[in-house]
C-alpha cells in the first residue's frame, strides 16, 4: 500500500502528494480528523514515500524498505506511542511492563526520541517520526516536543496524527502544516463493509449509517471481533436494575479494555437496531439467529425506551473514545440509566 492507495480522502492525499512532488517537504505535519478515516494510512504512505529507495518521494509499497515501514521495523522511521497503544497493536506485551501500561506519551519518550533524532539516518535520506496519536502526549511531553518543532533536526519529517488536535498546545499546532481528513463518504463505507464483512446490502447500509463515516468503527462490528456475540447480547438483555450484580458482571466483562468496550457498544447498537426493526415489523436483521429474543424484547419496550437505549449507547461510546473515561464505569452508568 502507498499514499496513492488511501481511499476516500482525495483532498488530503493531494496536499501530501503535492508537497512530495515539489520536493520540499515541510518538517512537521498535523493529520487531523475523526478516527478510522485514513489518517494513519496516509501517514504510513507518507513515511514510505520519504524513505523508499525505489520510488523516492512517492513510495513503491513493495520494496523491503516500504515493507519494513508498514511492519514498524524501518530503522529511520520512528514510532512514538503510549505503552497502552503499543500493547493494543501487539508491539509490546502487557507483561513487558511492571506497571499498568500508560495511556500517555511521556516526557522521557520525547527525550529518547530527541536523542535519536540527533543521530544521522541509518539507511534512508531522512528520518520520519510518527506520533500516534499526538494528543496522547501529556503537557510536559508536549512542551519538550515543542523544542523539536522549533529547532527541527536536519532531514527529519514529523507526522503528528490526531483525532483531538484541540488537546495539543496551540504553539505546537501552529508549527505544523495541518491536513484535515473528513468522514469517509457513506457509499464508500457501505461498499467496504459489504465486501469485507460479507453481509447483505441492507445490513451494510445499516452498519454504514451507524459508523458516521469511520471505516474503523464500521468494521468493529465485525463478527470476528467478539468471540461470543450471541452470549453477550443475551447477557445484556439479562441485566436488570433490580439485581446490581448483573450490572457489575456485565460491565466487568465488557469493560475489560477500551477496545472490548467499544466493540461491545457497537454490537449492542446494532442489536438495539434489530429490536427497533422487529418492533416496526421489519424483516432485515443483522442477527437473524436472535429473532426470537428480539421479538421478546420488542414486545416489552416502547419507542421512548428504545431511543433512550440508542442515546445511552452513543453517549458511552463518545465518553470512552474522546474523553478517556473508564470503560467499566461508563458501562455501569449506561446500564443503570437504561434500567432506571
Ligand atoms: Zn519502496
Amino acid at each position: 500500500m502507498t499514499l496513492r492507495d488511501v481511499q476516500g480522502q482525495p483532498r488530503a492525499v493531494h496536499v501530501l502528494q503535492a508537497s512530495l512532488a515539489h520536493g520540499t517537504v515541510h518538517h512537521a505535519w498535523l493529520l487531523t480528523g475523526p478516527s478510522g478515516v485514513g489518517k494513519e494510512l496516509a501517514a504510513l504512505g507518507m513515511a514510505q514515500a520519504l524513505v523508499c529507495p525505489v520510488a523516492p518521494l512517492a513510495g513503491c509499497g513493495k520494496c523491503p524498505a516500504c515493507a519494513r515501514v508498514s511492519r514498524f521495523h524501518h530503522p529511520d522511521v520512528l514510532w512514538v506511542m503510549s505503552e497502552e497503544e503499543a500493547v493494543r497493536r501487539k508491539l509490546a506485551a502487557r507483561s513487558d511492563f511492571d506497571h499498568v501500561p500508560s495511556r500517555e506519551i511521556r516526557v522521557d519518550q520525547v527525550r529518547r526520541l530527541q536523542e535519536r533524532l540527533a543521530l544521522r539516518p541509518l539507511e534512508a535520506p531522512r528520518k520520519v517520526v510518527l506520533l500516534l496519536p499526538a494528543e496522547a502526549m501529556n503537557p510536559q511531553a508536549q512542551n519538550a516536543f515543542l523544542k523539536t518543532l522549533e529547532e527541527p533536526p536536519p532531514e527529519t519529517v514529523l507526522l503528528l496524527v490526531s483525532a483531538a488536535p484541540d488537546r495539543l498546545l496551540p504553539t505546537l499546532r501552529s508549527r505544523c502544516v495541518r491536513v484535515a481528513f473528513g468522514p469517509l463518504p457513506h457509499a464508500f463505507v457501505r461498499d467496504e463493509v459489504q465486501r469485507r464483512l460479507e453481509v447483505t446490502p441492507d445490513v451494510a447500509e445499516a452498519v454504514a449509517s451507524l459508523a458516521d463515516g469511520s471505516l474503523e468503527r464500521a468494521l468493529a462490528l465485525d463478527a470476528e471481533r467478539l468471540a461470543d456475540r450471541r452470549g453477550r447480547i443475551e447477557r445484556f438483555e439479562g441485566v436488570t436494575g433490580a439485581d446490581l450484580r448483573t450490572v457489575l458482571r456485565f460491565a466487568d466483562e465488557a469493560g475489560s479494555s477500551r477496545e472490548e468496550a467499544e466493540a461491545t457498544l457497537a454490537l449492542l447498537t446494532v442489536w438495539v437496531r434489530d429490536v427497533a426493526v422487529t418492533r416496526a415489523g421489519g424483516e432485515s436483521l443483522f442477527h437473524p439467529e436472535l429473532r426470537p429474543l428480539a421479538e421478546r424484547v420488542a414486545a416489552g419496550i416502547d419507542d421512548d425506551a428504545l431511543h433512550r437505549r440508542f442515546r445511552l449507547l452513543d453517549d458511552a461510546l463518545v465518553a470512552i473514545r474522546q474523553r478517556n473515561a473508564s470503560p467499566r464505569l461508563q458501562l455501569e452508568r449506561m446500564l443503570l440509566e437504561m434500567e432506571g
Side-chain angles (χ1 to χ4, degrees):
M1 104 120 245
T2 67
L3 198 48
R4 271 194 313 281
D5 303 319
V6 176
Q7 291 181 294
Q9 300 290 355
R11 262 198 310 189
V13 169
H14 175 76
V15 172
L16 297 171
Q17 280 177 326
S19 98
L20 289 165
H22 199 251
T24 52
V25 180
H26 189 78
H27 72 278
W29 297 79
L30 176 58
L31 278 49
T32 64
S35 65
V37 300
K39 300 185 300 295
E40 187 180 329
L41 278 182
L44 198 75
M46 189 74 179
Q48 289 175 326
L50 292 165
V51 302
C52 176
V54 176
L57 297 177
C60 72
K62 299 189 194 83
C63 73
C66 284
R68 279 187 296 160
V69 172
S70 40
R71 289 203 313 269
F72 303 88
H73 262 107
H74 195 289
D76 297 316
V77 178
L78 313 175
W79 300 77
V80 183
M81 60 183 82
S82 69
E83 293 167 350
E84 190 196 63
E85 190 66 24
V87 170
R88 192 173 77 82
R89 290 164 189 267
K90 300 193 168 53
L91 297 169
R94 222 157 256 281
S95 55
D96 292 347
F97 306 100
D98 59 3
H99 51 269
V100 179
S102 169
R103 304 178 92 162
E104 294 184 335
I105 295 174
R106 294 181 319 243
V107 69
D108 54 301
Q109 291 174 274
V110 173
R111 298 230 168 90
R112 271 205 307 279
L113 171 72
Q114 287 166 333
E115 284 162 18
R116 289 192 63 182
L117 291 181
L119 309 172
R120 303 168 71 81
L122 290 165
E123 294 178 8
R126 60 184 70 77
K127 282 165 293 187
V128 183
V129 177
L130 290 102
L131 281 108
L132 280 179
E135 74 271 13
M137 282 190 285
N138 65 23
Q140 297 91 313
Q142 291 195 31
N143 269 311
F145 189 73
L146 190 56
K147 247 195 156 132
T148 300
L149 284 174
E150 284 167 346
E151 296 161 30
E155 303 305 332
T156 299
V157 175
L158 308 161
L159 300 170
L160 287 71
V161 175
S162 178
D166 297 351
R167 283 165 42 196
L168 295 170
L169 292 174
T171 42
L172 200 148
R173 284 200 302 263
S174 69
R175 284 181 167 78
C176 301
V177 176
R178 186 157 174 171
V179 184
F181 289 68
L184 292 166
H186 176 84
F188 173 75
V189 176
R190 182 196 60 210
D191 295 349
E192 284 296 299
V193 165
Q194 196 177 341
R195 190 172 65 79
R196 297 203 208 178
L197 302 188
E198 296 177 353
V199 293
T200 60
D202 50 351
V203 167
E205 181 70 35
V207 170
S209 15
L210 291 169
D212 281 339
S214 165
L215 187 57
E216 182 187 69
R217 192 164 168 184
L219 296 178
L221 302 166
D222 184 354
E224 301 302 314
R225 295 226 23 202
L226 279 168
D228 180 10
R229 293 196 296 176
R230 184 194 184 119
R232 186 154 296 180
I233 289 169
E234 284 167 350
R235 285 192 292 284
F236 168 72
E237 291 299 345
V239 168
T240 154
D243 184 353
L244 193 60
R245 279 172 309 177
T246 60
V247 171
L248 298 179
R249 209 178 301 133
F250 188 87
D252 260 350
E253 170 195 327
S256 61
S257 71
R258 197 153 45 125
E259 294 74 54
E260 191 66 25
E262 284 183 19
T264 300
L265 289 168
L267 170 81
L268 294 178
T269 305
V270 172
W271 163 246
V272 175
R273 174 196 164 269
D274 274 2
V275 173
V277 168
T278 305
R279 191 173 146 74
E283 284 298 313
S284 172
L285 300 187
F286 195 79
H287 297 287
E289 78 281 8
L290 290 178
R291 185 181 297 279
L293 180 61
E295 283 169 354
R296 214 161 57 236
V297 176
I301 198 167
D302 61 19
D303 285 345
D304 282 351
L306 267 176
H307 285 142
R308 197 166 76 227
R309 277 184 167 205
F310 276 124
R311 183 175 54 74
L312 290 168
L313 284 164
D314 200 52
D315 287 353
L317 195 62
V318 168
I320 290 169
R321 275 176 181 240
Q322 292 174 4
R323 296 204 299 274
N324 277 354
S326 150
R328 194 171 46 76
L329 292 179
Q330 286 300 322
L331 289 169
E332 279 175 18
R333 200 169 75 182
M334 176 192 84
L335 293 167
L336 289 170
E337 284 186 35
M338 258 178 207
E339 293 297 318

XYZ file of all heavy atoms in Angstrom, residues 52 60-61 63 66, ligand 1:
29
model
N 11.586 5.410 0.734
C 11.668 4.377 -0.309
C 12.820 4.677 -1.278
O 12.872 5.761 -1.856
C 10.349 4.321 -1.084
S 10.382 3.155 -2.463
N 7.053 2.942 -3.308
C 6.591 1.897 -4.221
C 5.647 0.942 -3.506
O 4.839 0.271 -4.126
C 7.785 1.128 -4.799
S 8.587 0.041 -3.602
N 5.745 0.868 -2.169
C 4.856 -0.002 -1.413
C 5.272 -1.467 -1.421
O 4.671 -2.276 -0.722
N 8.979 -2.577 -1.967
C 10.393 -2.876 -1.690
C 10.577 -3.187 -0.199
O 9.700 -2.912 0.618
C 11.265 -1.701 -2.119
S 11.122 -0.280 -1.018
N 9.863 -0.183 2.109
C 8.435 0.111 2.284
C 7.777 -0.940 3.185
O 6.960 -0.614 4.048
C 7.718 0.159 0.934
S 8.052 1.673 0.012
Zn 9.539 1.222 -1.707
